[in-house]
Amino acid sequence: EPHMTTHEMIEFFDERFGLDAYEMTVLMGVHSAAVAHRENLGFGNIGREDGWVEEAEEYKLSNLYYTSMLERVWELDKFENEGVVPDRYQWYFDEEDEGPIMLTVDMSLILDLEGLVVTDSKGVAGKGMCIAHPE
């Protein structure tokens, strides 16, 4: 589930796979060698193969997934898709939509979003609420 919070993700990996938080975090690192196709799942940028790290299309396993999360300022935004692909919320750091992406479940490794991830007024899951600006 792309919009799980930290606690939901830990519970999911424990119940489904018997993994503890450490093992779950290690497994999530496979995103350093993965790409998303927006046309298929609604995540990524239109017409491009986007990964969770720069040059993800080289499919090299590394620690870039983690360093990318920690070394950049990420913003959450809603991306509208066409056809049967649902609209999605995803995190980005490049305003030109040309860089890597993160999902809420990824950012949950470094942010405790418990109680802050909701479904918006149009039924799209993954909206992040700010305590200072609860809109």
Side-chain angles (χ1 to χ4, degrees):
E1 187 67 31
H3 306 297
M4 287 188 280
T5 64
T6 309
H7 306 284
E8 292 168 335
M9 188 169 45
I10 291 170
E11 185 176 311
F12 173 83
F13 277 95
D14 178 40
E15 289 177 359
R16 295 277 179 99
F17 307 106
L19 300 178
D20 62 25
Y22 176 83
E23 294 165 326
M24 172 200 71
T25 303
V26 171
L27 182 62
M28 292 290 288
V30 77
H31 283 99
S32 66
V35 295
H37 297 271
R38 186 155 169 198
E39 294 81 6
N40 296 332
L41 298 174
F43 296 108
N45 296 305
I46 294 176
R48 296 184 18 173
E49 233 183 28
D50 279 312
W52 282 257
V53 300
E54 300 284 347
E55 301 172 5
E57 67 278 359
E58 293 181 12
Y59 304 106
K60 293 181 181 176
L61 192 58
S62 70
N63 70 344
L64 288 177
Y65 170 70
Y66 305 107
T67 57
S68 179
M69 258 189 277
L70 295 169
E71 293 177 352
R72 293 190 167 109
V73 176
W74 294 87
E75 294 185 39
L76 180 64
D77 202 0
K78 181 178 179 179
F79 289 78
E80 295 184 3
N81 293 299
E82 299 177 359
V84 299
V85 178
D87 294 345
R88 302 285 195 177
Y89 282 93
Q90 73 183 25
W91 296 76
Y92 69 95
F93 72 91
D94 182 348
E95 292 181 12
E96 303 297 320
D97 293 334
E98 295 179 2
I101 62 160
M102 293 286 171
L103 309 182
T104 296
V105 70
D106 301 303
M107 297 305 287
S108 290
L109 291 172
I110 63 168
L111 300 170
D112 186 359
L113 300 169
E114 192 71 26
L116 301 176
V117 179
V118 299
T119 299
D120 70 16
S121 61
K122 295 191 177 190
V124 180
K127 180 177 182 179
M129 298 298 292
C130 175
I131 294 171
H133 302 283
E135 160 251 353

